[in-house]
Amino acid sequence: MITKKVYLYFPKSETEKPIVCELIRNFDLTINIFRAKVTPEEEGYLSLEITGTEEHLEQAYEFLKGFDVVIHAGSKAVHWDSERCTHCGNCLTHCPTGALHLADQATRTVAFTEEKCIECLSCITNCPFGVCTSAF
Amino acid sequence: MTKTYAEINEKIAAGKAVVLTAEEVIDYVDRHGLDKAAQEVDVVTTATFGPMCSSGCFLNFGHSTPKMRISEAWIADVPAYCGIAAVDVYLGATELRQNDPANMYFPGEFRYGGGHVIEDLVAGKKLQLFGLSYGTDDYPRREIRTMFDINDLNQAIMTNPRNCYQNYNVAVNCSDKTIHTYLGILKPRMRNMTYCSAGQLAPLLNDPTYQTIGVGTSVWLAGARGIVYAQGTQHCSEVERGANEVPVEGAGTLGLSGDMKQMLPEFVRGASFKGYGCTLALGVGIPIPILNPEILKRTTVRDRDISACVIDYASDYPQKTGKVLARFNYEQLRSGQVELDGRKVAVSSISSYHKALKICNLLKAEIEDGSFLLSEPSQRLPLHQGMNSLEITGPNK
Ligand code: SF4
Ligand code: SF4
């Protein structure tokens, strides 16, 4: 058995399909939903932990690819866009866990360690460049 | 041993110029000694990247049929100034989008404004122009609504009255409640502190008495070949300076201009400061020609040799008391924590050293490959100039 954290984005077209139900029924998976927002006729998000055999997980991923669902590895709904980050460092004194931190003192490069993020959303308020976003 | 602009440009054109960044030059001079290094080094590249509110651009749309003298205009719903010729407008970085609630529901978000429009233009996005006019015999059209991008414009000339502050305040909040400023969100009772300078990389900190940077200097403005067109507004050079002539407060500023069609989107970024407003963050690089050992010596300034003043943005700054709580150098500030009044205060930056360093290297590469030549300023920036306050006079005094 293996456990994976995934974060799914549902575009408008897919929000009315019972996708999670089928994941459980067809692939014998145990699903733990951390956060969810799926409203019919709007886009939606799901943050899940999936446990099952490797084979079943692979089949489940294949199954998901059949829909217009976007799959992100990782469990957090907070997203830090490395392409858009200016590395100003303004968020560093506002992030309580050090999830946002200086990866390199010399070049003052900012990086994000997802595992440390507690989704307090403080960086979303504090980043002047809209680099951090949350699905929820 | 001195060099001239012409000699340095000849070496650049021949691909033989020795160019170092403002960071590299520090060790280089330590190792080789000032005089030898002054012979060897031709150019030092300096840069900064950060919010620069006094920025904006002149846009020319070209004429529609029938013609129109646009008297009110909105680009992506952000108002642009039309009090100039028929289809010219000026769009300012801090302009709010029409109907933005501003701080009505405090703190406002200011998600999109002039700076974001400029970012979108440089990124090549299609935006909506909506314009109104009163109509004249020669310009009869009274309304226009159309989509355009930067390539449709005849000119898009960024023209910034005040960029590149020589040095800057460090902000804290001594009050009991959170405050929202252009230096970010400041937690109560000095729980955090923000600064905004590229320190040892910053252009005017590497040329503190304006020996080479003046009106007419060629600059790298977000990737375009720009120019210093005037002293910046609020240029106030008559301030306290350290033994190395480096000012301990704002001091000099530059008026910069450049062609937006040549700019790189990475260095033109709209910014939103919660509870304060929106603006534009810009990347600027300025080459310093090493004409003599003294100019070189100034470029070896280190973060620890540059001090900045800590000001309380809850009261002393808005009330203009002039009180300075403390001074720290940029090495201390960059360490992420300083001690003030016996308390440890977390420090962060609004300006990006990372991007400034990247610009120093990009400019260095352009000079090395012979594509960026230096220009001799036609006018020095004033070295002994103060700043007026606004006295409130008249019947409402
Ligand atoms: S505040 Fe935003 S732009 Fe600045 S380092 Fe943090 S995430 Fe990057
Ligand atoms: S959400 Fe909170 S913990 Fe996560 S990165 Fe942002 S500030 Fe840090």
Side-chain angles (χ1 to χ4, degrees), chain B residues 14-318:
Chain B
K16 289 191 180 135
V18 177
V19 190
L20 297 177
T21 66
E23 202 180 74
E24 293 164 343
V25 74
I26 299 172
D27 281 348
Y28 191 91
V29 170
D30 269 357
R31 276 187 280 117
H32 297 248
L34 190 66
D35 288 325
K36 184 153 180 281
Q39 283 174 27
E40 289 164 358
V41 181
D42 298 305
V43 185
V44 170
T45 58
T46 66
T48 184
F49 178 95
M52 303 194 198
C53 290
S54 246
S55 298
C57 55
F58 287 103
L59 307 175
N60 177 283
F61 286 99
H63 282 286
S64 57
T65 310
K67 286 184 180 174
M68 179 172 180
R69 206 216 80 69
I70 300 178
S71 56
E72 288 175 273
W74 292 260
I75 302 171
D77 294 333
V78 177
Y81 177 76
C82 300
I84 41 180
V87 288
D88 282 345
V89 303
Y90 184 80
L91 176 72
T94 67
E95 192 68 54
L96 304 187
R97 187 157 50 173
Q98 185 84 26
N99 292 333
D100 187 304
N103 265 339
M104 195 183 294
Y105 306 106
F106 190 79
E109 296 198 35
F110 305 98
R111 282 199 201 169
Y112 192 88
H116 299 87
V117 174
I118 295 171
E119 168 178 339
D120 284 347
L121 280 173
V122 171
K125 291 197 183 151
K126 282 251 178 245
L127 301 174
Q128 179 186 259
L129 165 69
F130 177 62
L132 295 173
S133 176
Y134 46 84
T136 70
D137 288 340
D138 38 359
Y139 295 102
R141 181 185 284 276
R142 286 163 181 258
E143 191 178 319
I144 192 163
R145 190 188 295 276
T146 182
M147 299 299 288
F148 74 99
D149 65 31
I150 195 166
N151 299 313
D152 300 321
L153 299 172
N154 289 311
Q155 285 78 23
I157 310 294
M158 186 175 277
T159 309
N160 308 336
R162 186 187 336 141
N163 284 172
C164 293
Y165 245 122
Q166 192 158 12
N167 197 348
Y168 215 77
N169 293 341
V170 182
V172 281
N173 169 14
C174 298
S175 77
D176 290 336
K177 63 178 192 6
T178 296
I179 62 169
H180 298 76
T181 75
Y182 64 77
L183 285 170
I185 299 178
L186 298 170
K187 300 183 223 181
R189 285 174 236 110
M190 305 196 308
R191 295 222 316 276
N192 69 324
M193 188 185 271
T194 51
Y195 66 94
C196 190
S197 171
Q200 65 192 12
L201 300 182
L204 292 177
L205 291 174
N206 281 279
D207 182 11
T209 56
Y210 327 118
Q211 294 184 83
T212 68
I213 301 174
V215 177
T217 296
S218 284
V219 304
W220 187 100
L221 186 54
R225 201 61 41 82
I227 192 165
V228 178
Y229 71 83
Q231 59 173 287
T233 52
Q234 286 180 204
H235 176 88
C236 173
S237 40
E238 188 77 58
V239 294
E240 186 190 333
R241 289 169 185 261
N244 52 8
E245 293 290 343
V246 169
V248 297
E249 53 188 282
T253 67
L254 301 174
L256 300 182
S257 185
D259 183 357
M260 263 164 62
K261 294 192 183 197
Q262 312 297 328
M263 290 184 182
L264 305 171
E266 181 183 349
F267 302 103
V268 183
R269 304 287 301 277
S272 304
F273 285 93
K274 203 176 175 76
Y276 176 77
C278 51
T279 185
L280 182 71
L282 261 186
V284 181
I286 305 188
I288 295 184
I290 303 307
L291 305 174
N292 60 49
E294 201 217 327
I295 290 171
L296 178 66
K297 186 162 192 304
R298 301 295 184 207
T299 66
T300 60
V301 73
R302 292 169 199 262
D303 278 341
R304 63 168 181 258
D305 307 322
I306 310 165
S307 293
C309 297
V310 180
I311 312 275
D312 177 13
Y313 269 61
S315 98
D316 293 322
Y317 181 84

Side-chain angles (χ1 to χ4, degrees), chain A residues 78 95-97 99-100 112 117-123:
Chain A
V78 168
C95 176
T97 62
L100 286 160
F112 176 58
C117 176
I118 53 167
E119 302 187 48
C120 71
L121 310 186
S122 163
C123 53

Side-chain angles (χ1 to χ4, degrees), chain A residues 33-96:
Chain A
I33 299 180
F34 292 130
R35 302 181 85 165
K37 180 179 152 196
V38 185
T39 314
E41 301 213 12
E42 283 177 33
E43 54 181 19
Y45 309 87
L46 262 183
S47 170
L48 321 158
E49 192 176 69
I50 307 178
T51 307
T53 64
E54 199 163 345
E55 192 192 345
H56 280 149
L57 275 174
E58 262 171 39
Q59 289 169 357
Y61 273 106
E62 279 308 309
F63 167 76
L64 282 174
K65 281 181 197 156
F67 299 91
D68 274 338
V69 174
V70 182
I71 311 168
H72 298 284
S75 59
K76 299 291 159 65
V78 168
H79 180 65
W80 170 77
D81 188 341
S82 61
E83 290 287 300
R84 290 188 48 81
C85 178
T86 69
H87 306 274
C88 65
N90 181 41
C91 53
L92 300 180
T93 54
H94 297 278
C95 176

